[in-house]
Amino acid sequence: QVQLVESGGGLVQAGGSLRLSCVASGSIFRINLMGWYRQAPGKQRDVVATITSIGATNYADSVKGRFTISRDNAKNTVYLQMNSLKPEDTALYYCNADIMTSTWSSRGYWGQGTQVTVSS
């Protein structure tokens, strides 16, 4: 059984910062792509940032230059440092990871989400 648990969300004023963390646990053989997604009320879930197992990153245009994704492979953890937050960043943030539980089994897993609210 694999589980992703996010933390670090909260309420912050515009211009502030937050750091999200997501820890994967369970029967893990290898973690490939990891990423952060967000979903605002009434909107679809969109990708925020992704990072490969060797550290190659990709960002949504709306967060480039403000957010930084990183990971610690030894701890099965992915982070999202969010700076210069704007009210439009308010959303439920989800962690996603492509996890191999054996050499022949791989699938995507989602965390339960952590709320980020940015006040103006």
Side-chain angles (χ1 to χ4, degrees), residues 62-120:
S62 60
V63 307
K64 282 181 180 176
R66 301 188 298 122
F67 292 8
T68 301
I69 189 171
S70 60
R71 64 190 282 175
D72 185 331
N73 290 331
K75 296 181 179 179
N76 290 338
T77 300
V78 63
Y79 305 97
L80 186 67
Q81 178 66 43
M82 304 185 294
N83 298 328
S84 302
L85 282 160
K86 304 175 181 180
E88 51 263 45
D89 294 318
T90 295
L92 191 58
Y93 282 71
Y94 295 92
C95 172
N96 177 271
D98 179 42
I99 297 177
M100 299 178 66
T101 53
S102 67
T103 57
W104 63 85
S105 179
S106 174
R107 54 158 282 195
Y109 293 84
W110 291 95
Q112 81 287 352
T114 185
Q115 179 67 39
V116 171
T117 302
V118 184
S119 63
S120 57

Side-chain angles (χ1 to χ4, degrees), residues 16-58:
S17 298
L18 284 174
R19 189 192 194 208
L20 306 183
S21 300
C22 172
V23 181
S25 62
S27 180
I28 297 171
F29 174 72
R30 176 189 171 94
I31 302 178
N32 297 317
L33 190 71
M34 303 185 82
W36 289 95
Y37 293 71
R38 67 186 181 186
Q39 187 169 19
K43 295 188 177 181
Q44 67 180 20
R45 189 176 300 186
D46 292 325
V47 62
V48 175
T50 60
I51 184 168
T52 68
S53 59
I54 58 172
T57 59
N58 195 32

